Amino acid sequence: MSIRQRRLRNQHLVGEPAGSPEQVVWRLCAVQAQDYAGAAWAIGQRTAECTRSDVDAACAAGHLVRTHVMRPTWHVVRAEDLPWLMAATAHRVHVANTSMYTKLDLDEATRGRTTEALVAALADGAHLTRTELGKRLGEDGVRMGYILMSAEIDGVIVSGAMQGKQHTYALAADRLPSAAAVDRDEAAAMLAARYLAGHGPALVEDLAWWSGLTKAEASRALADSGASHEELDGRTYWALDQDDATDAGASAHLLPNYDEYFIAYRDRSTLAAAFDVEPPEGFFHRHVVAIDGFVLGAWQATVKRSNVAVEITLLVDAEPPAQALLRAAADRHARHLDLSLDLTIGKAS
């Protein structure tokens, strides 16, 4: 079985679907989520029939939280996993933010004071939006974003329940289950094992990119994770799975713009295909189309009152079987939104 097929299977994109949003996020460990709607679809399509409402409900209940935990960017993670994930990655996120802390006059003492103010504002179970918290602290703009991110990285605040279409923050102590402390090396090994469970086979460079760990830290974490490694095409891939499963056959997926299937790897060469037509500039900045694990096009969706208009643009000619798979993928997206489907499939000129 190819690396692509093994990754598709490990990510619940082929084979047995996950049973719930929480199971998807367990498998992937973290789902990139600066585009929350895209993250919800990334989670939804890895289940049999999970809808956007199901993902929203898991977040509202606090089973899943959306926070800054790696690189840094937003990720959705399971609430019970966040403490040990922070033990593995928080030091690296603070390092990544150092230049912005300096630029915004947010030294450690200042961040400590603003964090205390956030704790006071969110006392008694309050869930407040960024705007509401900014008014309490007299802060706004980019500086407020880094004040909030610092408090997230330190494990003080996490996402709260949605307020209409607005995200909120709440105290981590109110949203996360109690957990025993885990030291950094143990947490990094746990991170490596969970990364491989949902993303393997992968290179050391892939884990380092995805997690924000240094290459040395990623190498040590993989060695401590219990994973095995194998030489493929002259490169060392790490994996937890055994390459003994049956190939799942043909597949097609409409992946959101930051889907773990491609964003989670430094080396994305296994996903690439040769094109007769050079992709237009910015083509793959949209949501992408994968056929049999190859990225072969882009798609966009326009939500209307009672339906969603999905437009697929391919860089290859799609035979009728592939078109049928694409239609099924688009129909699954419409069901995720609880809407009817209006589908267009074309080829880039």
Side-chain angles (χ1 to χ4, degrees):
M1 184 183 294
S2 69
I3 290 173
R4 291 190 316 282
Q5 287 293 329
R6 290 167 71 181
R7 288 175 177 175
L8 287 168
R9 181 192 63 197
N10 286 337
Q11 291 211 13
H12 281 306
L13 287 170
V14 299
E16 187 70 23
S20 67
E22 292 86 348
Q23 286 184 15
V24 173
V25 180
W26 182 92
R27 174 61 68 90
L28 295 176
C29 187
V31 176
Q32 192 161 326
Q34 62 266 57
D35 176 358
Y36 175 73
W41 168 230
I43 293 167
Q45 73 173 301
R46 288 167 165 86
T47 70
E49 288 296 332
C50 167
T51 66
R52 166 69 183 270
S53 296
D54 294 326
V55 179
D56 291 347
C59 291
H63 302 155
L64 302 177
V65 293
R66 177 177 176 265
T67 190
H68 286 89
V69 65
M70 293 185 294
R71 290 207 295 280
T73 192
W74 294 100
H75 283 85
V76 170
V77 303
R78 296 195 315 161
E80 60 203 87
D81 290 333
L82 185 56
W84 66 261
L85 280 169
M86 286 300 190
T89 63
H91 67 294
R92 293 300 307 162
V93 183
H94 276 312
V95 168
N97 285 347
T98 298
S99 63
M100 287 301 296
Y101 290 157
T102 301
K103 180 179 179 180
L104 298 169
D105 295 323
L106 289 172
D107 60 20
E108 188 172 354
T110 302
R111 299 198 313 273
R113 289 193 295 272
T114 57
T115 295
E116 289 177 359
L118 289 172
V119 171
L122 293 170
D124 300 322
H127 291 221
L128 299 177
T129 67
R130 171 174 167 160
T131 299
E132 291 169 335
L133 287 170
K135 289 178 180 178
R136 299 286 185 93
L137 273 65
E139 299 279 359
D140 60 11
V142 175
R143 181 179 160 97
M144 184 60 188
Y146 277 86
I147 287 170
L148 291 166
M149 193 190 311
S150 179
E152 288 177 295
I153 298 163
D154 288 339
V156 177
I157 64 173
V158 295
S159 60
M162 295 287 285
Q163 191 180 102
K165 294 184 178 181
Q166 297 294 312
H167 292 276
T168 70
Y169 294 86
L171 291 179
D174 294 336
R175 297 284 279 176
L176 303 182
S178 59
V182 179
D183 69 41
R184 184 183 297 177
D185 287 343
E186 181 183 358
M190 294 167 64
L191 175 64
R194 287 283 294 280
Y195 172 73
L196 292 176
H199 299 86
L203 305 167
V204 171
E205 293 85 353
D206 295 328
L207 174 60
W209 151 252
W210 180 80
S211 65
L213 300 178
T214 66
K215 187 174 178 181
E217 288 173 329
S219 295
R220 185 166 61 250
L222 286 166
D224 292 342
S225 70
S228 59
H229 54 85
E230 55 193 297
E231 296 297 320
L232 297 170
D233 300 325
R235 312 186 75 179
T236 302
Y237 284 86
W238 291 78
L240 293 176
D241 68 317
Q242 298 297 316
D243 190 10
D244 56 4
T246 303
D247 193 310
S251 65
H253 297 91
L254 305 185
L255 303 174
N257 46 1
Y258 302 109
D259 195 87
E260 291 294 311
Y261 180 66
F262 57 88
I263 203 69
Y265 306 95
R266 169 68 75 181
D267 174 27
R268 298 169 191 167
S269 60
T270 60
L271 315 181
F275 300 116
D276 295 330
V277 177
E278 185 69 19
E281 184 177 355
F283 186 80
F284 290 122
H285 293 173
R286 299 157 62 189
H287 305 316
V288 303
V289 176
I291 298 176
D292 295 338
F294 286 113
V295 174
L296 296 175
W299 66 284
Q300 58 186 3
T302 303
V303 175
K304 302 179 180 180
R305 179 171 298 180
S306 61
N307 74 328
V308 56
V310 174
E311 180 183 355
I312 296 174
T313 306
L314 299 174
L315 293 167
V316 296
D317 291 313
E319 299 297 326
Q323 293 215 20
L325 290 171
L326 289 169
R327 177 169 289 279
D331 186 62
R332 175 67 186 90
H333 180 61
R335 296 200 307 278
H336 172 74
L337 298 175
D338 196 25
L339 295 170
S340 61
L341 174 66
D342 179 12
L343 176 63
T344 302
I345 301 176
K347 185 178 178 183
S349 56

